[in-house]
Amino acid sequence: MYEAMRSAELGDDVLGDEPTVQRLEALAASKLGKEAAVFVPSGTMGNQIALATHTSPGDSALFEDEAHMLYYECAAPAVISGVLARSMPSVNGVVDPSEIKKRRLVSDEHTPGTTLLCIENTHNRHGGAVTRVETHREYRRVADDLGMKIHLDGARVFNAAVSLGVDVKEIASQVDSVNFCLSKGLCSPVGSVLCGPKRFIEGARQWRKRLGGGMRQAGILAACGIVSLEKMVCRLAEDHERARRLGEACKNVPGMSPLPVPTNIVMVDTERPADEWQHKLEEVGVQCFSFAPHRLRFVTHRDVGDDEVSFAIEKISELGREFG
Ligand SMILES: *Cc1c(COP(=O)(O)O)cnc(C)c1O
Protein backbone atom coordinates (compact mmCIF):
# COMPACT_ATOMS: atom_id res chain seq x y z
CA MET A 1 0.00 0.00 0.00
CA TYR A 2 2.83 2.41 0.80
CA GLU A 3 4.25 1.63 -2.64
CA ALA A 4 0.86 2.27 -4.27
CA MET A 5 0.64 5.62 -2.43
CA ARG A 6 4.15 6.60 -3.45
CA SER A 7 3.59 5.89 -7.14
CA ALA A 8 -0.04 7.09 -7.44
CA GLU A 9 -0.77 9.40 -10.34
CA LEU A 10 -2.35 12.51 -8.80
CA GLY A 11 -4.71 15.27 -9.90
CA ASP A 12 -7.35 17.42 -8.17
CA ASP A 13 -10.55 15.59 -7.30
CA VAL A 14 -12.38 18.80 -6.37
CA LEU A 15 -11.81 19.89 -9.97
CA GLY A 16 -12.84 16.43 -11.15
CA ASP A 17 -9.56 15.29 -12.69
CA GLU A 18 -8.02 12.93 -10.14
CA PRO A 19 -7.06 9.87 -12.19
CA THR A 20 -6.46 7.51 -9.25
CA VAL A 21 -9.73 8.46 -7.54
CA GLN A 22 -11.51 7.92 -10.84
CA ARG A 23 -9.91 4.49 -11.20
CA LEU A 24 -11.00 3.53 -7.70
CA GLU A 25 -14.55 4.75 -8.30
CA ALA A 26 -14.83 2.85 -11.59
CA LEU A 27 -13.41 -0.30 -9.99
CA ALA A 28 -15.78 -0.06 -7.01
CA ALA A 29 -18.82 0.52 -9.23
CA SER A 30 -17.94 -2.48 -11.37
CA LYS A 31 -17.27 -4.78 -8.38
CA LEU A 32 -20.61 -3.83 -6.83
CA GLY A 33 -22.44 -3.93 -10.15
CA LYS A 34 -23.59 -0.31 -9.88
CA GLU A 35 -23.49 2.45 -12.51
CA ALA A 36 -21.35 4.88 -10.55
CA ALA A 37 -19.48 5.46 -7.32
CA VAL A 38 -18.04 8.28 -5.23
CA PHE A 39 -15.04 8.11 -2.90
CA VAL A 40 -15.76 9.54 0.56
CA PRO A 41 -13.59 10.07 3.65
CA SER A 42 -15.53 7.77 5.97
CA GLY A 43 -18.31 5.23 6.23
CA THR A 44 -20.32 7.65 8.34
CA MET A 45 -20.12 10.32 5.66
CA GLY A 46 -21.02 7.82 2.92
CA ASN A 47 -24.10 6.66 4.83
CA GLN A 48 -25.27 10.16 5.63
CA ILE A 49 -24.69 11.40 2.09
CA ALA A 50 -26.82 8.49 0.87
CA LEU A 51 -29.57 9.29 3.35
CA ALA A 52 -29.54 12.98 2.42
CA THR A 53 -29.59 12.19 -1.29
CA HIS A 54 -32.48 9.71 -1.06
CA THR A 55 -34.75 11.77 1.20
CA SER A 56 -36.28 15.22 1.71
CA PRO A 57 -36.56 17.06 5.05
CA GLY A 58 -39.68 15.87 6.86
CA ASP A 59 -39.45 12.31 5.56
CA SER A 60 -38.92 9.35 7.83
CA ALA A 61 -36.55 6.43 7.36
CA LEU A 62 -36.42 2.93 8.84
CA PHE A 63 -33.43 1.35 10.60
CA GLU A 64 -32.79 -1.70 12.69
CA ASP A 65 -32.80 -0.93 16.46
CA GLU A 66 -29.02 -1.27 16.83
CA ALA A 67 -28.00 0.18 13.47
CA HIS A 68 -24.69 2.00 13.18
CA MET A 69 -26.54 4.84 11.44
CA LEU A 70 -28.60 5.35 14.63
CA TYR A 71 -26.02 4.56 17.29
CA TYR A 72 -22.76 5.99 16.09
CA GLU A 73 -23.51 8.79 13.67
CA CYS A 74 -24.43 11.61 16.09
CA ALA A 75 -28.11 11.89 15.10
CA ALA A 76 -27.03 12.94 11.61
CA PRO A 77 -30.36 11.92 10.01
CA ALA A 78 -32.05 14.58 12.18
CA VAL A 79 -29.25 17.13 12.16
CA ILE A 80 -28.18 16.99 8.51
CA SER A 81 -31.18 15.66 6.59
CA GLY A 82 -34.14 16.64 8.77
CA VAL A 83 -35.27 13.02 8.65
CA LEU A 84 -37.15 11.25 11.42
CA ALA A 85 -35.54 7.92 12.25
CA ARG A 86 -37.82 5.00 13.13
CA SER A 87 -36.38 1.73 14.24
CA MET A 88 -37.38 -1.90 13.88
CA PRO A 89 -36.56 -4.94 16.02
CA SER A 90 -34.55 -7.81 14.62
CA VAL A 91 -33.56 -11.34 15.46
CA ASN A 92 -29.78 -11.24 15.85
CA GLY A 93 -29.45 -8.29 13.50
CA VAL A 94 -31.75 -9.57 10.77
CA VAL A 95 -35.05 -7.68 10.42
CA ASP A 96 -38.09 -9.73 9.47
CA PRO A 97 -39.37 -8.19 6.21
CA SER A 98 -42.89 -7.98 7.71
CA GLU A 99 -41.60 -5.33 10.16
CA ILE A 100 -41.18 -2.83 7.34
CA LYS A 101 -44.88 -2.53 6.62
CA LYS A 102 -45.64 -2.40 10.36
CA ARG A 103 -43.25 0.44 11.07
CA ARG A 104 -43.39 2.61 7.96
CA LEU A 105 -45.59 5.69 7.90
CA VAL A 106 -47.72 6.92 5.02
CA SER A 107 -47.34 10.61 4.31
CA ASP A 108 -50.36 12.84 4.91
CA GLU A 109 -51.14 16.14 6.57
CA HIS A 110 -49.90 14.73 9.92
CA THR A 111 -47.40 11.95 9.37
CA PRO A 112 -43.84 11.94 8.02
CA GLY A 113 -43.95 9.47 5.13
CA THR A 114 -41.28 6.77 5.13
CA THR A 115 -39.26 6.94 1.94
CA LEU A 116 -36.12 5.00 2.83
CA LEU A 117 -35.18 1.63 4.32
CA CYS A 118 -31.63 1.29 5.67
CA ILE A 119 -30.13 -2.18 6.13
CA GLU A 120 -26.78 -3.08 7.70
CA ASN A 121 -24.90 -6.15 6.41
CA THR A 122 -22.83 -7.43 8.16
CA HIS A 123 -24.26 -5.96 11.34
CA ASN A 124 -21.72 -4.35 13.64
CA ARG A 125 -23.56 -4.25 16.99
CA HIS A 126 -24.96 -7.73 16.35
CA GLY A 127 -21.46 -9.20 16.20
CA GLY A 128 -20.95 -9.29 12.44
CA ALA A 129 -24.32 -10.95 11.73
CA VAL A 130 -24.99 -11.74 8.07
CA THR A 131 -28.24 -11.12 6.19
CA ARG A 132 -28.83 -13.65 3.39
CA VAL A 133 -29.43 -12.67 -0.22
CA GLU A 134 -32.94 -14.18 -0.10
CA THR A 135 -33.83 -11.83 2.76
CA HIS A 136 -32.48 -8.89 0.76
CA ARG A 137 -34.76 -9.96 -2.10
CA GLU A 138 -37.73 -9.85 0.26
CA TYR A 139 -36.76 -6.37 1.44
CA ARG A 140 -36.59 -5.34 -2.21
CA ARG A 141 -40.10 -6.69 -2.93
CA VAL A 142 -41.59 -4.96 0.12
CA ALA A 143 -39.79 -1.67 -0.56
CA ASP A 144 -40.92 -1.67 -4.20
CA ASP A 145 -44.52 -2.33 -3.10
CA LEU A 146 -44.38 0.59 -0.68
CA GLY A 147 -42.46 2.94 -2.96
CA MET A 148 -39.39 3.07 -0.72
CA LYS A 149 -35.71 3.19 -1.65
CA ILE A 150 -33.12 0.98 0.08
CA HIS A 151 -29.69 2.03 1.29
CA LEU A 152 -27.27 -0.65 2.43
CA ASP A 153 -24.80 0.28 5.16
CA GLY A 154 -22.34 -2.24 3.79
CA ALA A 155 -19.31 -1.11 5.79
CA ARG A 156 -18.49 -4.86 5.86
CA VAL A 157 -20.52 -6.04 2.89
CA PHE A 158 -17.51 -7.94 1.52
CA ASN A 159 -17.39 -9.93 4.76
CA ALA A 160 -21.06 -10.76 4.20
CA ALA A 161 -20.44 -11.87 0.60
CA VAL A 162 -17.45 -14.01 1.56
CA SER A 163 -19.35 -15.60 4.41
CA LEU A 164 -22.34 -16.40 2.15
CA GLY A 165 -20.08 -17.56 -0.67
CA VAL A 166 -21.75 -15.19 -3.15
CA ASP A 167 -20.53 -12.42 -5.42
CA VAL A 168 -21.04 -9.09 -3.62
CA LYS A 169 -23.08 -7.99 -6.67
CA GLU A 170 -25.85 -10.39 -5.63
CA ILE A 171 -26.35 -8.42 -2.42
CA ALA A 172 -25.81 -5.01 -4.03
CA SER A 173 -28.31 -5.75 -6.80
CA GLN A 174 -31.10 -5.77 -4.20
CA VAL A 175 -30.48 -2.21 -2.95
CA ASP A 176 -30.49 1.24 -4.53
CA SER A 177 -27.27 2.38 -2.92
CA VAL A 178 -24.50 0.76 -0.94
CA ASN A 179 -21.64 2.21 1.06
CA PHE A 180 -18.64 0.04 1.96
CA CYS A 181 -15.49 0.73 3.96
CA LEU A 182 -12.05 0.38 2.39
CA SER A 183 -10.68 0.59 5.93
CA LYS A 184 -11.34 -2.11 8.57
CA GLY A 185 -10.96 -5.61 7.09
CA LEU A 186 -9.99 -4.26 3.67
CA CYS A 187 -6.93 -2.64 5.29
CA SER A 188 -6.89 0.89 3.81
CA PRO A 189 -5.97 3.66 6.25
CA VAL A 190 -8.93 5.85 5.22
CA GLY A 191 -11.99 5.86 3.07
CA SER A 192 -15.28 4.43 1.90
CA VAL A 193 -17.04 4.24 -1.43
CA LEU A 194 -20.72 4.98 -2.01
CA CYS A 195 -22.14 3.21 -5.09
CA GLY A 196 -25.45 3.58 -6.91
CA PRO A 197 -27.19 4.82 -10.05
CA LYS A 198 -25.50 7.62 -12.03
CA ARG A 199 -28.10 10.29 -11.14
CA PHE A 200 -27.98 9.35 -7.47
CA ILE A 201 -24.18 9.62 -7.42
CA GLU A 202 -24.37 13.07 -9.02
CA GLY A 203 -26.57 14.18 -6.11
CA ALA A 204 -24.23 12.44 -3.69
CA ARG A 205 -21.28 14.45 -5.06
CA GLN A 206 -23.10 17.67 -4.19
CA TRP A 207 -23.77 16.42 -0.67
CA ARG A 208 -20.15 15.36 -0.29
CA LYS A 209 -19.00 18.88 -1.21
CA ARG A 210 -21.61 20.44 1.08
CA LEU A 211 -20.33 18.38 4.01
CA GLY A 212 -16.71 19.28 3.31
CA GLY A 213 -15.80 15.87 1.95
CA GLY A 214 -14.23 17.03 -1.31
CA MET A 215 -10.55 16.08 -1.13
CA ARG A 216 -8.05 17.38 -3.66
CA GLN A 217 -5.02 15.12 -4.34
CA ALA A 218 -6.99 12.24 -2.88
CA GLY A 219 -5.36 9.73 -5.21
CA ILE A 220 -2.80 9.13 -2.49
CA LEU A 221 -5.64 7.53 -0.49
CA ALA A 222 -7.57 6.08 -3.41
CA ALA A 223 -4.41 4.17 -4.37
CA CYS A 224 -4.79 2.23 -1.13
CA GLY A 225 -8.45 1.61 -1.90
CA ILE A 226 -7.51 0.00 -5.20
CA VAL A 227 -5.13 -2.35 -3.36
CA SER A 228 -7.98 -3.11 -0.91
CA LEU A 229 -10.35 -4.12 -3.69
CA GLU A 230 -7.80 -6.06 -5.71
CA LYS A 231 -5.86 -7.83 -2.96
CA MET A 232 -7.70 -7.76 0.34
CA VAL A 233 -11.15 -9.17 -0.38
CA CYS A 234 -9.89 -12.67 -1.07
CA ARG A 235 -8.26 -12.93 2.33
CA LEU A 236 -11.32 -12.06 4.46
CA ALA A 237 -12.15 -15.75 4.82
CA GLU A 238 -8.95 -16.11 6.89
CA ASP A 239 -10.21 -13.46 9.31
CA HIS A 240 -13.49 -15.35 9.65
CA GLU A 241 -11.72 -18.64 10.31
CA ARG A 242 -9.46 -17.09 12.96
CA ALA A 243 -12.39 -15.36 14.63
CA ARG A 244 -14.24 -18.68 14.70
CA ARG A 245 -11.21 -20.34 16.35
CA LEU A 246 -11.03 -17.58 18.96
CA GLY A 247 -14.75 -17.89 19.68
CA GLU A 248 -14.48 -21.69 20.03
CA ALA A 249 -11.57 -21.34 22.46
CA CYS A 250 -13.50 -18.84 24.61
CA LYS A 251 -16.15 -21.53 25.19
CA ASN A 252 -13.60 -23.32 27.40
CA VAL A 253 -12.72 -20.26 29.46
CA PRO A 254 -14.43 -20.07 32.87
CA GLY A 255 -16.64 -16.98 33.16
CA MET A 256 -16.90 -16.50 29.40
CA SER A 257 -19.82 -17.23 27.05
CA PRO A 258 -19.04 -16.43 23.42
CA LEU A 259 -21.88 -15.68 21.01
CA PRO A 260 -21.92 -17.35 17.60
CA VAL A 261 -19.20 -16.00 15.29
CA PRO A 262 -20.58 -15.50 11.77
CA THR A 263 -17.73 -13.36 10.40
CA ASN A 264 -14.72 -11.50 11.86
CA ILE A 265 -16.25 -10.18 15.09
CA VAL A 266 -16.20 -12.18 18.31
CA MET A 267 -18.64 -11.09 21.00
CA VAL A 268 -18.12 -12.68 24.41
CA ASP A 269 -20.36 -12.30 27.45
CA THR A 270 -18.40 -12.19 30.69
CA GLU A 271 -19.37 -12.89 34.30
CA ARG A 272 -16.85 -10.32 35.52
CA PRO A 273 -17.24 -6.74 34.29
CA ALA A 274 -15.99 -6.48 30.72
CA ASP A 275 -13.88 -3.43 31.71
CA GLU A 276 -11.80 -5.61 34.02
CA TRP A 277 -11.17 -8.12 31.25
CA GLN A 278 -10.28 -5.36 28.81
CA HIS A 279 -7.76 -3.69 31.13
CA LYS A 280 -6.09 -6.93 32.17
CA LEU A 281 -5.87 -8.18 28.59
CA GLU A 282 -4.45 -4.86 27.46
CA GLU A 283 -1.66 -5.23 30.06
CA VAL A 284 -0.63 -8.57 28.56
CA GLY A 285 -0.84 -7.41 24.96
CA VAL A 286 -4.33 -8.39 23.78
CA GLN A 287 -6.56 -5.62 22.52
CA CYS A 288 -10.34 -5.73 22.68
CA PHE A 289 -13.32 -3.49 23.47
CA SER A 290 -15.63 -3.65 26.41
CA PHE A 291 -18.75 -3.39 24.33
CA ALA A 292 -21.30 -3.48 27.14
CA PRO A 293 -20.97 -3.87 30.94
CA HIS A 294 -20.60 -7.64 30.52
CA ARG A 295 -19.71 -8.03 26.87
CA LEU A 296 -16.31 -7.97 25.16
CA ARG A 297 -15.67 -7.55 21.46
CA PHE A 298 -12.66 -8.95 19.63
CA VAL A 299 -12.03 -8.39 15.92
CA THR A 300 -9.66 -10.22 13.59
CA HIS A 301 -7.92 -8.54 10.67
CA ARG A 302 -4.88 -8.88 8.42
CA ASP A 303 -2.38 -8.12 11.16
CA VAL A 304 -3.77 -10.80 13.43
CA GLY A 305 -2.39 -14.07 12.14
CA ASP A 306 -2.63 -17.63 13.47
CA ASP A 307 0.18 -17.01 15.98
CA GLU A 308 -1.48 -13.87 17.29
CA VAL A 309 -4.78 -15.74 17.73
CA SER A 310 -2.93 -18.51 19.63
CA PHE A 311 -1.28 -15.85 21.79
CA ALA A 312 -4.64 -14.22 22.50
CA ILE A 313 -6.22 -17.57 23.39
CA GLU A 314 -3.35 -18.32 25.79
CA LYS A 315 -3.65 -14.95 27.54
CA ILE A 316 -7.45 -15.11 27.72
CA SER A 317 -7.28 -18.64 29.19
CA GLU A 318 -4.68 -17.60 31.78
CA LEU A 319 -6.82 -14.67 32.84
CA GLY A 320 -9.90 -16.90 32.97
CA ARG A 321 -8.11 -19.16 35.46
CA GLU A 322 -6.92 -16.15 37.48
CA PHE A 323 -10.45 -14.75 37.64
CA GLY A 324 -11.64 -18.23 38.64
C1 LIG B 1 -17.45 1.36 10.77
C2 LIG B 1 -18.86 1.39 10.35
C3 LIG B 1 -19.41 2.54 9.76
C4 LIG B 1 -18.71 3.87 9.68
O1 LIG B 1 -17.45 3.89 9.19
P1 LIG B 1 -16.43 5.06 9.61
O2 LIG B 1 -15.45 5.02 8.49
O3 LIG B 1 -15.88 4.68 10.94
O4 LIG B 1 -17.18 6.36 9.66
C5 LIG B 1 -20.71 2.46 9.32
N1 LIG B 1 -21.43 1.34 9.46
C6 LIG B 1 -20.94 0.23 10.01
C7 LIG B 1 -21.80 -0.99 10.09
C8 LIG B 1 -19.64 0.22 10.50
O5 LIG B 1 -19.17 -0.89 11.07
Side-chain angles (χ1 to χ4, degrees):
M1 259 180 197
Y2 283 129
E3 192 39 51
M5 292 174 101
R6 204 173 297 131
S7 59
E9 195 189 339
L10 302 180
D12 185 329
D13 193 44
V14 172
L15 301 183
D17 64 4
E18 222 306 335
T20 307
V21 170
Q22 286 172 1
R23 262 178 62 214
L24 169 65
E25 290 175 346
L27 179 63
S30 93
K31 291 245 183 226
L32 277 289
K34 293 294 183 199
E35 273 175 12
V38 58
F39 182 46
V40 293
S42 70
T44 300
M45 194 188 283
N47 281 336
Q48 295 305 328
I49 286 173
L51 183 95
T53 308
H54 281 305
T55 60
S56 303
D59 286 355
S60 58
L62 291 179
F63 306 83
E64 192 272 341
D65 279 337
E66 306 276 318
H68 192 285
M69 289 179 77
L70 291 188
Y71 250 87
Y72 297 125
E73 302 188 9
C74 301
V79 175
I80 297 171
S81 297
V83 162
L84 178 76
R86 290 177 51 86
S87 81
M88 305 174 287
S90 73
V91 178
N92 301 325
V94 180
V95 173
D96 190 291
S98 67
E99 294 293 337
I100 299 165
K101 201 161 185 178
K102 283 190 217 154
R103 296 296 295 163
R104 67 104 191 214
L105 298 174
V106 180
S107 173
D108 67 14
E109 196 180 327
H110 315 282
T111 36
T114 307
T115 54
L116 183 67
L117 167 66
C118 295
I119 299 291
E120 186 172 321
N121 195 13
T122 69
H123 199 301
N124 181 355
R125 287 182 56 84
H126 284 284
V130 180
T131 296
R132 294 176 313 130
V133 177
E134 185 43 49
T135 309
H136 275 290
R137 288 200 190 99
E138 289 182 47
Y139 296 148
R140 181 76 271 171
R141 279 194 285 274
V142 175
D144 285 347
D145 271 358
L146 303 176
M148 290 163 62
K149 295 274 197 277
I150 305 178
H151 171 67
L152 174 62
D153 176 358
R156 297 188 183 80
V157 71
F158 284 98
N159 293 85
V162 164
S163 154
L164 292 168
V166 302
D167 189 314
V168 71
K169 288 191 189 83
E170 286 198 46
I171 300 172
S173 68
Q174 301 305 315
V175 299
D176 297 284
S177 59
V178 49
N179 187 82
F180 69 91
C181 289
L182 296 162
S183 55
K184 306 184 175 168
L186 294 188
C187 305
S188 277
V190 171
S192 281
V193 188
L194 174 61
C195 307
K198 196 160 163 291
R199 282 275 305 278
F200 167 83
I201 294 298
E202 283 164 15
R205 285 185 188 282
Q206 284 193 318
W207 269 107
R208 182 182 68 169
K209 186 67 199 283
R210 194 171 283 135
L211 297 178
M215 300 185 290
R216 292 188 183 273
Q217 282 80 32
I220 201 164
L221 298 173
C224 299
I226 293 169
V227 176
S228 288
L229 281 173
E230 289 181 340
K231 305 234 164 87
M232 300 300 174
V233 173
C234 60
R235 50 155 305 284
L236 290 175
E238 293 171 24
D239 293 345
H240 297 180
E241 176 50 30
R242 291 182 182 121
R244 199 195 54 76
R245 182 157 79 90
L246 181 62
E248 278 301 309
C250 289
K251 284 185 186 165
N252 302 320
V253 176
M256 276 195 156
S257 317
L259 278 63
V261 181
T263 49
N264 68 328
I265 298 175
V266 185
M267 294 285 199
V268 182
D269 286 344
T270 56
E271 276 169 27
R272 291 260 192 150
D275 275 347
E276 271 184 49
W277 276 96
Q278 183 189 332
H279 292 135
K280 293 262 189 178
L281 284 172
E282 180 104 51
E283 280 170 17
V284 295
V286 178
Q287 289 187 315
C288 60
F289 259 179
S290 88
F291 191 78
H294 289 272
R295 181 168 291 183
L296 284 175
R297 191 187 91 152
F298 300 86
V299 171
T300 55
H301 54 82
R302 183 174 178 271
D303 300 318
V304 177
D306 289 332
D307 291 349
E308 284 76 17
V309 171
S310 300
F311 176 84
I313 291 171
E314 190 187 311
K315 295 297 168 192
I316 292 166
S317 306
E318 276 173 18
L319 201 55
R321 284 193 292 274
E322 190 187 315
F323 280 166

